[in-house]
Amino acid sequence: MKTRYLFIVLVAGLLVPSLSEAQSNTEKHLATIRECYSGAMKMLELRSDPEYPAKDKTVITTDEMWPGSGQHNGKMEIFYGLDLSEEESVIQRFPSFARYSYNIGGQKFYYEILWYDPDDGNPDHCQPVFFHCKNTDYSGKTIEGRYYFWDGKLIKTLLNNPPDTDDDIIPSPEEALQRARMIEVIAKMNQLWNY
């Protein structure tokens, strides 16, 4: 019986440091994400100045009439950093922040996506790390969600889901990551933007 307890204590003793280390890494990643988000907000403020020379962004707008739901308007802004690739001598784009909003009938949708760039000159190492959504349903109730990712894995979720709201109004973490990757593809379309 004593050996069984001793074995349990030893296994627990081995697991606690690894759990503590994982918690520490998650906190470091969250701190990095918050720092990047703060930097993105400062960048947006700087680039909103009319005197700022180049915005380094792509803007896509939609203006449509949808059958059954009426006027549909959307706007997507993708902000990025630029660098010259050494192999091909072409401009590379590193997505840093995107925001987009649109409506479907009386529902309003707003999203923000943040990417982390390790600044190693490789746009493929740029990864989506934060997804924020703030959506309003037909009754005027707002649902807000925040997903934090690292290396393509969800590390934290914060949801503000008022009672009697439709849970389908916000994307799942998997859908959020998929949307971030689609926008990243748009930003990196070098053949489209460089020729």
Side-chain angles (χ1 to χ4, degrees):
M1 190 73 150
K2 287 183 181 182
T3 28
R4 181 181 287 170
Y5 288 126
L6 181 61
F7 177 74
I8 292 171
V9 168
L10 285 174
V11 169
L14 292 173
L15 289 177
V16 168
S18 64
L19 292 174
S20 176
E21 184 178 322
Q23 180 69 21
S24 175
N25 283 339
T26 298
E27 291 303 319
K28 286 179 190 174
H29 296 322
L30 289 171
T32 300
I33 293 168
R34 288 183 187 109
E35 183 179 322
C36 288
Y37 187 83
S38 176
M41 293 301 103
K42 289 177 185 169
M43 175 265 307
L44 290 176
E45 185 180 333
L46 177 67
R47 291 184 185 176
S48 68
D49 181 352
E51 299 296 318
Y52 192 80
K55 308 299 184 201
D56 293 337
K57 73 175 180 177
T58 298
V59 179
I60 301 170
T61 60
T62 58
D63 186 359
E64 306 169 312
M65 185 62 72
W66 282 18
S69 66
Q71 187 71 28
H72 170 82
N73 295 307
K75 180 178 180 181
M76 178 184 299
E77 296 174 285
I78 307 169
F79 298 87
Y80 44 80
L82 297 168
D83 200 0
L84 189 63
S85 80
E86 293 178 15
E87 300 86 31
E88 303 166 16
S89 295
V90 295
I91 297 294
Q92 299 180 114
R93 287 167 182 80
F94 297 80
S96 59
F97 186 77
R99 60 184 173 196
Y100 65 105
S101 60
Y102 62 95
N103 74 293
I104 298 175
Q107 292 180 302
K108 295 179 183 174
F109 300 87
Y110 175 77
Y111 301 98
E112 292 180 347
I113 302 168
L114 177 71
W115 284 265
Y116 172 70
D117 176 13
D119 200 24
D120 64 358
N122 187 341
D124 294 329
H125 294 167
C126 199
Q127 59 174 311
V129 292
F130 179 68
F131 185 92
H132 173 236
C133 56
K134 187 175 183 180
N135 303 336
T136 306
D137 68 9
Y138 288 113
S139 64
K141 292 182 182 164
T142 300
I143 299 176
E144 197 165 357
R146 290 174 175 81
Y147 301 124
Y148 297 83
F149 301 96
W150 199 263
D151 289 331
K153 294 179 179 67
L154 182 68
I155 59 172
K156 187 173 183 173
T157 300
L158 297 172
L159 294 177
N160 170 17
N161 193 352
D164 301 328
T165 54
D166 183 10
D167 289 337
D168 293 339
I169 197 169
I170 62 170
S172 68
E174 296 80 18
E175 292 169 329
L177 203 52
Q178 181 183 26
R179 289 179 189 206
R181 289 184 175 139
M182 285 190 307
I183 292 171
E184 186 174 333
V185 168
I186 294 169
K188 292 179 177 178
M189 295 175 99
N190 292 324
Q191 269 54 19
L192 176 64
W193 307 118
N194 290 345
Y195 299 104

